[in-house]
Amino acid sequence: MNDNYSDVIIIGAGAAGLFCAAQLGKYGKRVLILDNGKKIGRKILMSGGGFCNFTNMNVTSGCYLSENRHFVKSALAQFTQWDFIGLVADYGIAWHEKEDGQLFCDNGAQDIVDMLAAECAKYGVKIQLRQPIEQVEQVENDAKVRFKIHAFSQQWSCRSLVIASGGLSMPALGATPFGYQLAEQFSINVVPPRAALVPFTFRETEKFLTALSGVSLPVTVTSHHQSFTHQMLFTHRGLSGPAILQISNYWEPGESVEIDLLPYHSVCQIVEECRQSSPKQQLKTVLSRHLPKKLVELWFAQSLLKDQTVANLSKAELLAVDNFIHRWQFYPNGTEGYRTAEVTMGGVDTREISSKTMESNKIEGLYFIGEVLDVTGRLGGYNFQWAWSSAYACAVGIAGKSERL
């Protein structure tokens, strides 16, 4: 067999690709990773503010969206968050838990990249960077070679081909539609991709809210019977923060999201108590004690609320204020798109992929793992766990198939 042959070629040197390669190396496979970038793990290094939210203590299948909603169960069961935490511990990487079970590196995301690189080196994985793929060719009637890959006038061949090329989010880090195009080349359906875990933008009629850029507050945001309570941030383009990123996965263009701007208190109760103790207090003053002053002042400046003493508020007026604050109907103009999206929703249709091994049901030896698939996790380490779990399932699947030959 020529020097450019590998048992497995993996396209993509991100989280899923690197982890899959190392697992395959453990099984004695000859593995090559090809990537179009200058260095490995680019998205890992950017994640979690540079500290890589590498998994979550509370991973369950219900934390993921896919048109084939049971698809994630097998892979998540094969390799759990505890398995990855164990590997992190083996490398002595210090980490800490934030709210909602989110785990971050103490020293930085480079620790995770270094760990994956060490695992690949330990098992002889070869990595070729700056290799944009020009063509993938299926080989018929060859006992050993199923695929030929062409890039920069070079040619590689393999028996198993793993696509770990990611989605379209963060194009500045080299994201391309390669994985979707390859799936379509082999007549594998692709669920239309869109930006996910992404900030919303303002409509023209709400551009006055840009004056609040930098203001943050806890909210409960709801769409399609899904609710998240977390911080929301006003930006000079729209709304962001964890609560907004989470709900963006459920929002559909043209719809509103309902936002409770004071989730831990009742406006009616606050006003009623104030009527008893300080009836001559102004509504603006009372609200400013519980909400960001800048936000309250803007409401009154824009005549969205009318300032008066709490004693003078009629029952109907109080209910209107309560509704305004607890049930704000925000209509996004759209999202900020792939430029700032954490992940891509949609992708290679999981109904055409084995949930146990990640192999295409149509093309023998062709596998898809990680973000390129139609699997989207919540914010908080869930998408990294999907990368580890799908990569592991794929590696075990390839190794198991080899043993049966």
Side-chain angles (χ1 to χ4, degrees):
M1 193 61 62
N2 64 56
D3 287 342
N4 282 350
Y5 172 81
S6 299
D7 298 320
V8 186
I9 289 178
I10 298 174
I11 297 178
L18 292 167
F19 192 63
C20 187
Q23 298 305 308
L24 284 162
K26 286 182 185 179
Y27 286 109
K29 299 299 175 190
R30 187 175 175 183
V31 184
L32 169 68
I33 300 177
L34 300 175
D35 192 275
N36 65 355
K38 298 177 183 177
K39 58 183 180 181
I40 65 172
R42 288 169 291 173
K43 202 169 177 184
I44 299 173
L45 293 170
M46 290 285 290
S47 68
F51 289 89
C52 186
N53 180 191
F54 56 84
T55 192
N56 193 291
M57 292 284 199
N58 306 315
V59 171
T60 67
S61 62
C63 299
Y64 295 86
L65 288 171
S66 172
E67 289 198 358
N68 179 12
R69 63 193 182 91
H70 297 295
F71 178 79
V72 299
K73 290 180 178 178
S74 177
L76 292 175
Q78 288 183 64
F79 189 86
T80 71
Q81 64 269 42
W82 311 113
D83 294 317
F84 193 78
I85 291 166
L87 179 61
V88 168
D90 289 344
Y91 274 80
I93 295 172
W95 55 268
H96 58 278
E97 181 181 354
K98 288 192 177 179
E99 70 272 12
D100 305 322
Q102 301 172 42
L103 304 190
F104 290 81
C105 298
D106 283 0
N107 302 318
Q110 188 67 53
D111 282 356
I112 298 295
V113 175
D114 290 346
M115 178 188 78
L116 295 171
E119 285 283 286
C120 285
K122 188 194 301 184
Y123 299 109
V125 173
K126 293 180 180 178
I127 301 175
Q128 293 262 9
L129 298 174
R130 304 188 189 199
Q131 298 293 335
I133 308 302
E134 294 165 359
Q135 184 186 1
V136 174
E137 178 186 349
Q138 190 176 14
V139 178
E140 304 284 352
N141 305 317
D142 191 314
K144 201 78 172 169
V145 174
R146 288 204 189 101
F147 302 97
K148 289 182 181 177
I149 294 93
H150 303 264
F152 275 159
S153 302
Q154 292 193 70
Q155 179 179 292
W156 293 273
S157 59
C158 62
R159 182 163 181 79
S160 298
L161 177 62
V162 179
I163 308 303
S165 53
L168 298 173
S169 54
M170 300 186 185
L173 297 181
T176 74
F178 171 81
Y180 310 140
Q181 292 166 348
L182 185 84
E184 288 169 345
Q185 175 188 330
F186 289 106
S187 300
I188 298 167
N189 188 48
V190 174
V191 176
R194 68 179 175 95
L197 297 178
V198 62
F200 290 139
T201 55
F202 291 133
R203 296 180 300 171
E204 280 299 320
T205 53
E206 288 172 321
K207 286 289 179 71
F208 67 90
L209 292 170
T210 59
L212 298 172
S213 183
V215 172
S216 176
L217 71 163
V219 301
T220 295
V221 59
T222 303
S223 178
H224 289 272
H225 307 293
Q226 287 287 333
S227 293
F228 295 96
T229 301
H230 218 302
Q231 290 296 116
M232 181 180 81
L233 173 69
F234 287 91
T235 73
H236 64 277
R237 291 183 298 272
L239 299 180
S240 189
I244 297 301
L245 299 189
Q246 295 280 32
I247 209 66
S248 70
N249 285 3
Y250 299 88
W251 172 78
E252 295 290 342
E255 296 179 345
S256 68
V257 293
E258 183 175 287
I259 304 175
D260 182 347
L261 295 161
L262 199 60
Y264 302 117
H265 302 278
S266 160
V267 169
C268 282
Q269 188 177 341
I270 289 168
V271 171
E272 289 296 347
E273 288 174 359
C274 195
R275 274 177 169 160
Q276 301 302 318
S277 60
S278 311
K280 292 185 179 180
Q281 284 259 335
Q282 294 294 117
L283 177 62
K284 182 177 177 181
T285 304
V286 174
L287 293 179
S288 294
R289 290 199 199 106
H290 298 275
L291 289 154
K293 188 178 180 183
K294 201 171 179 181
L295 173 60
V296 175
E297 287 177 345
L298 185 67
W299 285 340
F300 286 97
Q302 292 287 327
S303 300
L304 297 172
L305 292 177
K306 175 186 168 188
D307 200 14
Q308 55 189 307
T309 64
V310 292
N312 286 341
L313 268 176
S314 70
K315 187 174 182 181
E317 286 172 328
L318 177 53
L319 287 174
V321 173
D322 185 86
N323 195 58
F324 178 82
I325 292 173
H326 289 301
R327 285 171 287 280
W328 178 29
Q329 298 298 316
F330 175 73
Y331 285 86
N333 188 56
T335 72
E336 289 196 8
Y338 294 117
R339 184 181 62 83
T340 58
E342 298 268 342
V343 292
T344 306
M345 185 174 280
V348 175
D349 193 336
T350 55
R351 289 166 293 204
E352 300 195 25
I353 304 295
S354 164
S355 63
K356 188 176 180 183
T357 66
M358 306 294 127
E359 185 176 18
S360 163
N361 296 333
K362 289 181 177 175
I363 309 296
E364 189 174 6
L366 180 62
Y367 299 77
F368 294 86
I369 59 175
E371 191 183 345
V372 73
L373 287 162
D374 172 34
V375 173
T376 307
R378 292 178 179 174
L379 187 72
Y382 297 97
N383 289 292
F384 271 125
Q385 186 58 46
W386 174 245
W388 318 135
S389 296
S390 60
Y392 182 87
C394 175
V396 172
I398 291 173
K401 180 177 281 194
S402 301
E403 288 170 7
R404 291 193 297 272
L405 292 176

Short mmCIF file of all heavy atoms in Angstrom, two decimals, residues 25 71 95 126 180 200 214 227 244 269 341 353 374 377 379:
data_model
loop_
_atom_site.label_atom_id
_atom_site.label_comp_id
_atom_site.label_asym_id
_atom_site.label_seq_id
_atom_site.Cartn_x
_atom_site.Cartn_y
_atom_site.Cartn_z
N GLY A 25 -6.44 5.73 17.15
CA GLY A 25 -5.03 5.39 17.35
C GLY A 25 -4.85 4.34 18.44
O GLY A 25 -3.99 3.45 18.34
N PHE A 71 -31.70 10.46 18.37
CA PHE A 71 -30.43 10.09 17.76
C PHE A 71 -29.26 10.15 18.74
O PHE A 71 -28.36 9.31 18.71
CB PHE A 71 -30.15 11.00 16.56
CG PHE A 71 -28.84 10.73 15.87
CD1 PHE A 71 -28.71 9.67 14.99
CD2 PHE A 71 -27.73 11.53 16.11
CE1 PHE A 71 -27.52 9.41 14.35
CE2 PHE A 71 -26.53 11.28 15.48
CZ PHE A 71 -26.41 10.21 14.60
N TRP A 95 -9.74 22.44 36.73
CA TRP A 95 -11.00 22.97 36.20
C TRP A 95 -11.90 23.40 37.34
O TRP A 95 -11.65 23.08 38.50
CB TRP A 95 -11.71 21.94 35.32
CG TRP A 95 -11.98 20.60 35.95
CD1 TRP A 95 -11.18 19.50 35.92
CD2 TRP A 95 -13.14 20.22 36.71
NE1 TRP A 95 -11.75 18.46 36.60
CE2 TRP A 95 -12.96 18.88 37.10
CE3 TRP A 95 -14.30 20.89 37.10
CZ2 TRP A 95 -13.90 18.18 37.86
CZ3 TRP A 95 -15.25 20.21 37.86
CH2 TRP A 95 -15.04 18.87 38.23
N LYS A 126 -1.21 11.19 12.42
CA LYS A 126 -0.56 12.21 11.59
C LYS A 126 -1.55 13.35 11.32
O LYS A 126 -2.73 13.10 11.10
CB LYS A 126 -0.10 11.61 10.26
CG LYS A 126 1.03 10.59 10.42
CD LYS A 126 1.45 10.03 9.08
CE LYS A 126 2.57 9.01 9.24
NZ LYS A 126 2.96 8.41 7.93
N TYR A 180 -21.40 19.67 4.44
CA TYR A 180 -22.74 19.61 3.83
C TYR A 180 -22.62 19.28 2.34
O TYR A 180 -23.40 18.50 1.79
CB TYR A 180 -23.48 20.93 4.00
CG TYR A 180 -23.49 21.47 5.42
CD1 TYR A 180 -23.32 22.82 5.67
CD2 TYR A 180 -23.66 20.61 6.52
CE1 TYR A 180 -23.33 23.32 6.97
CE2 TYR A 180 -23.67 21.10 7.82
CZ TYR A 180 -23.50 22.45 8.04
OH TYR A 180 -23.51 22.95 9.31
N PHE A 200 -29.84 38.25 19.07
CA PHE A 200 -30.88 38.84 18.24
C PHE A 200 -30.51 40.28 17.88
O PHE A 200 -29.78 40.95 18.62
CB PHE A 200 -32.22 38.88 18.98
CG PHE A 200 -32.86 37.55 19.21
CD1 PHE A 200 -33.48 37.25 20.43
CD2 PHE A 200 -32.87 36.57 18.22
CE1 PHE A 200 -34.09 36.03 20.65
CE2 PHE A 200 -33.48 35.34 18.44
CZ PHE A 200 -34.09 35.07 19.65
N GLY A 214 -24.63 47.55 26.93
CA GLY A 214 -23.83 47.27 28.12
C GLY A 214 -24.66 46.97 29.36
O GLY A 214 -24.13 46.46 30.36
N SER A 227 -38.46 27.82 28.18
CA SER A 227 -38.09 29.01 28.93
C SER A 227 -36.70 28.86 29.53
O SER A 227 -36.31 27.76 29.96
CB SER A 227 -39.09 29.26 30.07
OG SER A 227 -40.36 29.60 29.57
N ILE A 244 -30.67 34.81 25.96
CA ILE A 244 -31.01 35.04 24.55
C ILE A 244 -30.38 33.97 23.66
O ILE A 244 -31.04 33.44 22.75
CB ILE A 244 -30.59 36.46 24.11
CG1 ILE A 244 -31.35 37.52 24.91
CG2 ILE A 244 -30.78 36.64 22.61
CD1 ILE A 244 -32.86 37.46 24.77
N GLN A 269 -47.05 43.19 43.28
CA GLN A 269 -46.78 43.07 44.71
C GLN A 269 -45.88 44.20 45.20
O GLN A 269 -46.11 44.78 46.28
CB GLN A 269 -46.13 41.71 45.00
CG GLN A 269 -45.98 41.41 46.48
CD GLN A 269 -45.41 40.02 46.73
OE1 GLN A 269 -45.46 39.15 45.86
NE2 GLN A 269 -44.87 39.82 47.91
N ALA A 341 -22.44 33.41 15.95
CA ALA A 341 -23.13 32.21 16.45
C ALA A 341 -22.14 31.24 17.08
O ALA A 341 -21.04 31.03 16.57
CB ALA A 341 -23.87 31.52 15.31
N ILE A 353 -27.99 8.43 9.27
CA ILE A 353 -26.74 8.09 9.92
C ILE A 353 -27.03 7.09 11.05
O ILE A 353 -28.04 7.20 11.75
CB ILE A 353 -26.07 9.35 10.53
CG1 ILE A 353 -25.87 10.43 9.46
CG2 ILE A 353 -24.76 9.01 11.22
CD1 ILE A 353 -24.91 10.08 8.34
N ASP A 374 -26.91 17.18 12.22
CA ASP A 374 -28.08 17.91 12.70
C ASP A 374 -28.32 17.59 14.17
O ASP A 374 -29.28 16.91 14.55
CB ASP A 374 -29.31 17.54 11.85
CG ASP A 374 -30.60 18.14 12.42
OD1 ASP A 374 -30.54 19.25 12.98
OD2 ASP A 374 -31.65 17.48 12.33
N GLY A 377 -26.70 21.28 20.77
CA GLY A 377 -26.87 21.28 22.22
C GLY A 377 -27.14 22.67 22.76
O GLY A 377 -26.92 23.68 22.08
N LEU A 379 -26.42 25.90 25.31
CA LEU A 379 -25.22 26.61 25.74
C LEU A 379 -24.77 26.02 27.08
O LEU A 379 -25.60 25.74 27.94
CB LEU A 379 -25.56 28.09 25.92
CG LEU A 379 -24.41 29.05 26.23
CD1 LEU A 379 -23.55 29.24 25.00
CD2 LEU A 379 -24.98 30.39 26.70
#
